Each structure stands twice: as C-alpha cells, then as structure tokens.
Amino acid sequence: MIRVGLVDDQPMVRVGLKMILESEGDIEVCCEAANGEDAVALAASHCPDVILMDIRMPGMDGLAATVEVLKATPSSRVVILTTFDDDEYLYGALRAGASGFLLKSADGDALVNAVRVVAAGEALLAPEVTRRVIEQFARGSRDDAASLPIQPAVPALQGETAAHVPSAEAIGDLSDREVEVLQLLARGLSNQEIASELFVSNTTVKTHVSHILTKLGVRDRVQAVVEAYDSGIVLPRG
C-alpha cells in the first residue's frame, strides 16, 4: 500500500485529491495538512511514502516545508503541486529535494501515475515543466537567481559563446555515454525515450541511470538533472 500525505490550504482540493487516490486499491491517504508547519509535524508522525505539496500556503510555504519534511523523514518523497504561475519557486523546490512536479490541471490518471512513479523510486520529470523551469532558471541572471528562495549554483552565462567547462569533481568518472544519457535526462526524456534516441535497450538505459545517480551522489533523476546544470555538465539551451 502506498501511503500519501496531502498538503494544500484549500480543503476542497484535498477532498478531490483524496477521492481520486483512494479510489485505487493500492493507495491510501494517511495524513492531510493545510500549511507547511502542520505538514512537517504530520510527516514526522505518519512517514508517508509520497507527499503532494502545494507551494502557495499561509505561514510556511511548500518550498520551506519540503526542506523541513525531508529533514524529518528522509524516506518520504515530495511532489510539488503547481501551476505555471509558480515558476519562480520550482527550481528551488528541486534543489530542496522534491522528486518532481505535478500540474494542478492534471487529470486523475496522471495524479495516480505520479504517486506510483515516485513511490517506486523514480522521479517525475514532465518535459513540459522540466524544460521550461530548469532551463529558464539555470540560465537566469544574477538578479533572477538572487530572487529565488534557494539559489541555483549555476553562474550566469556571459553570452552564447560561454565556455562549457564542467568541474572535474562534478563529472566524477562519468563515461561519455553516461554524460549523453544525463543530457537526455535534462531534456525530460523517459528511459524508453532515451533508449529510442540512443538505439539501446530500456534495461541498458536503466543501468546507465543507476550508475549516474551513484557517481553523482544523488538519489533520483531530478537531483541528477539539478546537479548537471549546477556543475555545468549540461548547459541550458539558448
């Protein structure tokens, strides 16, 4: 059984999410919170497998709550509930440890799939969100970065001809093929899409992804992408 925590300041939103999730035989909602402070306390006591976290809430917002929840319950995984209007927060949410995004406009099937994917240890990298958010803020100016709750470590590019010089520490011992896979992960491609792009099997891609996570010292695909942009292994497209 997948145990889910719901964090949203709108009761009707929580009711709707709960109805959809509990219509599935393998998912139960174990706790609900209307703000970040309550989310941290409930997560610590209930240890949900997955937490669906709104960003804009009174008091402690979803970004700060993500940081604190993952300190209290490192085994839990957080999926940010968002609209495109929340762009300015999302890169910080990834750096805080969130395992991905779920658009509030998503249908019930997408919601259920998101919970199952994240509970299984994968990360939710929806291309329509990932490409817009990560690339936008990875290339952001110093002023833009300063406005983020958690600042990305990617330096501002000095023009289209800026040199691509990743740090040796960040690259570790990634092979050329692993760097190639990481670049495709940063575009939001799934394992199957990467396999098709590289003309290899899905199992081979899974092996490469596992090696990438181990070598970069990160826990999932989202964090690998953040590390790729932070270190310069991957540059945002101009």
Side-chain angles (χ1 to χ4, degrees), residues 11-34:
M12 288 302 295
V13 171
R14 298 198 306 273
V15 168
L17 293 173
K18 185 173 183 177
M19 288 179 61
I20 293 170
L21 293 173
E22 293 200 331
S23 67
E24 303 294 320
D26 60 336
I27 300 174
E28 67 172 357
V29 173
C30 65
C31 57
E32 299 180 40

Side-chain angles (χ1 to χ4, degrees), residues 48 96 154:
V154 181

Side-chain angles (χ1 to χ4, degrees), residues 86-176:
D86 291 324
D87 275 358
E88 70 268 23
Y89 296 104
L90 295 182
Y91 190 77
L94 288 181
R95 288 181 54 77
S99 292
F101 316 110
L102 181 66
L103 295 178
K104 286 189 172 181
S105 59
D107 60 22
D109 288 342
L111 172 66
V112 170
N113 178 67
V115 167
R116 287 176 176 151
V117 165
V118 172
E122 294 290 336
L124 204 63
L125 279 171
E128 68 271 21
V129 180
T130 304
R131 294 172 189 172
R132 175 173 174 173
V133 175
I134 295 182
E135 293 190 358
Q136 176 181 348
F137 290 102
R139 75 160 68 91
S141 68
R142 294 177 187 273
D143 289 341
D144 290 337
S147 69
L148 293 176
I150 295 181
Q151 295 184 21
V154 181
L157 299 182
Q158 301 301 313
E160 294 182 356
T161 59
H164 184 186
V165 186
S167 69
E169 180 181 358
I171 292 177
D173 58 345
L174 290 182
S175 68
D176 290 343

Side-chain angles (χ1 to χ4, degrees), residues 52-232:
L52 300 179
M53 179 81 72
D54 190 20
I55 287 183
R56 297 178 179 176
M57 297 179 291
M60 181 186 289
D61 66 19
L63 182 57
T66 295
V67 176
E68 296 303 320
V69 161
L70 294 177
K71 286 180 183 177
T73 58
S75 62
S76 295
R77 291 179 173 267
V78 175
V79 175
I80 299 295
L81 295 173
T82 182
T83 67
F84 280 133
D85 290 340
D86 291 324
D87 275 358
E88 70 268 23
Y89 296 104
L90 295 182
Y91 190 77
L94 288 181
R95 288 181 54 77
S99 292
F101 316 110
L102 181 66
L103 295 178
K104 286 189 172 181
S105 59
D107 60 22
D109 288 342
L111 172 66
V112 170
N113 178 67
V115 167
R116 287 176 176 151
V117 165
V118 172
E122 294 290 336
L124 204 63
L125 279 171
E128 68 271 21
V129 180
T130 304
R131 294 172 189 172
R132 175 173 174 173
V133 175
I134 295 182
E135 293 190 358
Q136 176 181 348
F137 290 102
R139 75 160 68 91
S141 68
R142 294 177 187 273
D143 289 341
D144 290 337
S147 69
L148 293 176
I150 295 181
Q151 295 184 21
V154 181
L157 299 182
Q158 301 301 313
E160 294 182 356
T161 59
H164 184 186
V165 186
S167 69
E169 180 181 358
I171 292 177
D173 58 345
L174 290 182
S175 68
D176 290 343
R177 177 61 95 181
E178 287 163 354
V179 170
E180 193 173 8
V181 170
L182 182 54
Q183 291 169 337
L184 295 175
L185 285 179
R187 286 169 47 193
L189 271 64
S190 67
N191 284 357
Q192 187 58 57
E193 290 168 333
I194 294 172
S196 297
E197 183 89 6
L198 299 180
F199 302 102
V200 298
S201 71
N202 195 50
T203 300
T204 297
V205 174
K206 287 182 178 179
T207 299
H208 285 315
V209 171
S210 177
H211 289 167
I212 289 168
L213 301 187
T214 299
K215 291 178 181 181
L216 293 181
V218 296
R219 71 175 186 170
D220 60 32
R221 298 158 69 97
V222 169
Q223 297 305 307
V225 171
V226 171
E227 177 67 18
Y229 279 108
D230 275 356
S231 65

